[in-house]
Amino acid sequence: MDDPAVETLVEWREWGADAFAEAQEEKKPLLLALSATWCDWCHEMDAATYAEPRIAAHLNDGFVPMRVDVDRQPRIRDRYNMGGFPSTVFLTPEGELISGAGFLAQGGMRQVLDSVRRAWDSKGTSAGRVPRALRDAETPQAPLSPTIEGELFAQLAGEFDTEHGGWGEAPKFPLARTIEFALKREQQQAIRTLDAIQSHLYDDFDGGFFRFAENADWSTPHREKVLDVNAALVRTFATAYRYTGHEEYKETAENSAEFLMTTLWNGEAFAGSQRPDDEYYGLPIDERAEADQPQVDETAFADWNGLAIDALLTLYAATGHEQSRAFAERALRYLDDTLIAEDGAVAHFNGEASEIGLLADQARVLDALTTAMQVLGEYESLACAVADYTIEHRRDGTSFVDGPTDGLGLLSLPLRPLDANAEFADALLDLALLTGDDTYRTVARETIEAFAGAADRMSVQVAGYATTAARLTDTPLTVFVGDVGSPLHRAALQLPDHEKVVIPESDGSSGTARVTIDGETHTVETPDELLATVTTTDQNNLE
């Protein structure tokens, strides 16, 4: 149990069979508190609500209180999340949902406790319900179509904030995959958003990015720094530099990579997060330099390390930043040695409580491995093992479930997350092109088609899905090169198209490269000729 939980007056139980059995035996509802080490409001609720003696006594006497760290147990998070953290969730002894809320001050908690008690006393277990996402086993199947990309492109215009940058209203999140989708298709929107993120969420003293801003104008940032957000933005700024040549994007990417490689480096891999600390960030710069930095949760999560590896290798590919390559390789070795089993199953983290083979872990680790195949020319066998395990153990019909279909409460019901399905399909397409095994492409296509019937209702938050659909509709730019590290290999990695695939060939000629664009293959001999071929073809396609 984490320290803030211990310091409250609530008698917390771990999520497990004992807590559910206690609720069954004593005929009490469960309170599930979802929290995170980086969540400021979670710590505030511990201090202001769960430490209040009468509220704690009410919870201890009338409920079975459980506490879950959402980073360590993402399947519980995804089934019981009330829209943010903390999430305060009341369950039947069978784990069905009675009621839920986010942050609750003392007054709000008393009202909710009274409401839940009335519902429980009058209805008992029939007060519970199963969320719709877990009731619907079928996905909205439809054929793959070029219109998917166009529909998302139209959403960019409809949701873009022309005054402040970004998409949608408050709160504002740095939607990295959406920015990358726009970089290739609506570049001014991407640039406007990157500049807003750089101005409001980037910490230009310690490096790294804050998680999001409360307001539409990007003001009032929440100052936790979480690895997944930071890794994604390192990749996005490196990608933006590749498209625009703007030196400030390169500098931001490299400085934020430095944050990953120092503050978030635990000695073996990348740590999960750094807590917010308003007192620290409120100090003048000269005093801040002397103060202790906010606490870091040093747990290395597989999915977030996959994102970090992919980001650092992307930065190295775009700029030649050698330190990024070195740390990416060190994290890859950690994954290989510690978290990836021989059969390709990925552990969420290194601990007895870790789940094995979660779809998000498998997808993001596979993405890191396919990037390593392109940049380093290594890890093919490991990538195939991870892909094959996922297809064998997580595929259900034509889509993938998020983890094992067993467990307590709602964990026994399958969840088919769109974002993780799209990420895995995208990595499978890369693997198909890198290995020449078209089976992976077939599975990727069927996965995207499993959700295509809802494409006209998707928002810009799932731009990654539209990107994968577009890459499957038209084979992405593919460059076959000889030796890893040769001038042509470096030039291929630096091409301004982040959806391309670079395929090192051990038996190829280091003096030539083959470029496949729109089904046509061109042979080039110099980096300038490579760039000219790609640029000319792109211009012809636009005309």
Side-chain angles (χ1 to χ4, degrees):
M1 196 72 66
D2 56 277
D3 291 342
V6 172
E7 292 168 3
T8 72
L9 299 177
V10 178
E11 297 170 3
W12 297 108
R13 282 71 155 175
E14 301 280 357
W15 173 283
D18 289 348
F20 279 87
E22 180 182 347
Q24 292 272 7
E25 182 178 343
E26 298 188 7
K27 296 181 172 54
K28 292 180 179 179
L30 294 141
L31 163 66
L32 172 61
L34 299 180
S35 65
T37 59
W38 45 260
C39 171
D40 212 21
W41 284 106
C42 299
H43 302 303
E44 176 66 21
M45 191 167 172
D46 285 339
T49 304
Y50 291 130
E52 203 283 318
R54 286 169 294 183
I55 289 176
H58 192 168
L59 289 172
N60 293 333
D61 293 341
F63 298 82
V64 176
M66 296 187 299
R67 190 173 179 105
V68 164
D69 182 302
V70 297
D71 294 339
R72 287 162 177 76
Q73 301 194 61
R75 283 207 302 149
I76 300 173
R77 173 198 67 201
D78 292 343
R79 284 160 175 76
Y80 292 107
N81 181 6
M82 292 291 108
F85 306 110
S87 280
T88 311
V89 195
F90 295 90
L91 313 175
T92 69
E94 294 75 29
E96 293 187 356
L97 179 65
I98 300 174
S99 181
F103 174 88
L104 290 172
Q106 292 181 19
M109 176 62 89
R110 292 190 183 97
Q111 291 178 359
V112 171
L113 289 176
D114 290 343
S115 174
V116 171
R117 174 53 60 188
R118 288 194 299 270
W120 177 254
D121 290 343
S122 63
K123 298 181 179 179
T125 58
S126 64
R129 60 182 175 84
V130 176
R132 180 177 177 181
L134 295 169
R135 295 197 310 267
D136 296 339
E138 300 297 323
T139 57
Q141 188 90 20
L144 186 65
S145 167
T147 62
I148 295 174
E149 180 184 14
E151 286 164 346
L152 202 287
F153 180 81
Q155 290 288 347
L156 288 180
E159 297 186 35
F160 186 67
D161 183 342
T162 56
E163 182 177 1
H164 304 296
W167 294 271
E169 300 177 354
K172 278 283 177 63
F173 287 87
L175 304 175
R177 296 291 185 180
T178 307
I179 296 169
E180 291 177 9
F181 181 88
L183 272 169
K184 188 171 180 177
R185 299 163 178 88
E186 191 63 75
Q187 194 169 110
Q188 288 307 307
Q189 288 187 11
I191 290 173
R192 178 72 182 84
T193 304
L194 285 166
D195 292 345
I197 291 169
Q198 203 167 32
S199 296
H200 298 281
L201 297 185
Y202 176 58
D203 182 352
D204 57 8
F205 182 75
D206 289 328
F209 296 91
F210 303 126
R211 195 167 69 95
F212 73 100
E214 282 190 14
N215 302 314
D217 64 356
W218 299 91
S219 61
T220 317
H222 282 226
R223 290 193 170 94
E224 60 269 13
K225 295 178 181 178
V226 185
L227 177 57
D228 65 334
V229 172
N230 276 271
L233 287 173
V234 168
R235 168 180 151 145
T236 299
F237 273 90
T239 300
Y241 170 69
R242 198 156 48 187
Y243 275 91
T244 66
H246 293 175
E247 286 293 326
E248 65 269 27
Y249 293 161
K250 175 184 176 183
E251 182 179 348
T252 297
E254 291 181 346
N255 288 346
S256 297
E258 185 72 18
F259 170 76
L260 299 187
M261 297 181 293
T262 52
T263 303
L264 292 189
W265 183 254
N266 69 10
E268 295 182 299
F270 297 102
S273 60
Q274 184 178 37
R275 284 182 57 175
D277 186 333
D278 287 340
E279 182 177 348
Y280 173 81
Y281 289 111
L283 293 172
I285 292 299
D286 58 338
E287 294 182 29
R288 191 167 149 189
E290 301 298 324
D292 292 334
Q293 287 198 12
Q295 182 180 349
V296 170
D297 177 356
E298 296 195 346
T299 309
F301 298 106
D303 54 344
W304 293 359
N305 269 264
L307 290 173
I309 292 163
D310 176 53
L312 293 180
L313 290 177
T314 299
L315 176 59
Y316 167 74
T319 69
H321 193 256
E322 287 288 347
Q323 191 179 25
S324 293
R325 170 182 170 151
F327 272 81
E329 291 187 288
R330 291 173 69 182
L332 277 166
R333 288 194 293 272
Y334 174 81
L335 291 182
D336 191 7
D337 294 342
T338 308
L339 298 185
I340 305 177
E342 195 171 314
D343 64 353
V346 179
H348 186 52
F349 62 94
N350 185 23
E352 291 183 4
S354 173
E355 290 206 88
I356 306 296
L358 299 180
L359 180 59
D361 290 327
Q362 302 289 138
R364 289 173 170 177
V365 168
L366 180 60
D367 190 43
L369 293 170
T370 57
T371 301
M373 289 172 67
Q374 297 178 67
V375 176
L376 307 175
E378 301 176 25
Y379 291 101
E380 178 177 334
S381 61
L382 189 59
C384 290
V386 170
D388 294 343
Y389 174 92
T390 315
I391 293 169
E392 179 180 354
H393 294 277
R394 295 293 169 259
R395 198 175 191 215
D396 182 14
T398 58
S399 62
F400 291 82
V401 295
D402 66 333
T405 51
D406 57 24
L408 298 164
L410 298 181
L411 293 186
S412 63
L413 300 176
L415 186 65
R416 303 169 192 272
L418 173 62
D419 50 357
N421 270 269
E423 287 179 27
F424 187 63
D426 201 62
L428 280 180
L429 174 57
D430 286 344
L431 188 61
L433 294 167
L434 286 159
T435 63
D437 187 343
D438 213 42
T439 303
Y440 295 128
R441 183 187 181 99
T442 300
V443 175
R445 183 184 184 93
E446 291 175 351
T447 303
I448 293 301
E449 288 181 333
F451 299 90
D456 60 341
R457 303 189 298 277
M458 293 180 185
S459 72
V460 296
Q461 277 109 342
V462 291
Y465 174 86
T467 298
T468 308
R471 297 179 76 227
L472 283 162
T473 304
D474 296 314
T475 299
L477 167 66
T478 307
V479 185
F480 298 84
V481 297
D483 298 338
V484 168
S486 68
L488 277 170
H489 178 241
R490 296 285 304 131
L493 293 174
Q494 292 171 351
L495 288 172
D497 184 343
H498 68 285
E499 296 170 18
K500 68 182 179 300
V501 178
V502 177
I503 306 175
E505 296 181 299
S506 58
D507 58 348
S509 170
S510 61
T512 62
R514 292 180 292 115
V515 186
T516 300
I517 311 173
D518 298 331
E520 295 186 5
T521 300
H522 312 263
T523 300
V524 299
E525 296 182 351
T526 68
D528 288 343
E529 190 178 355
L530 172 61
L531 180 59
T533 299
V534 172
T535 304
T536 301
T537 305
D538 285 344
Q539 289 175 345
N540 290 339
N541 288 339
L542 291 172
E543 292 173 355

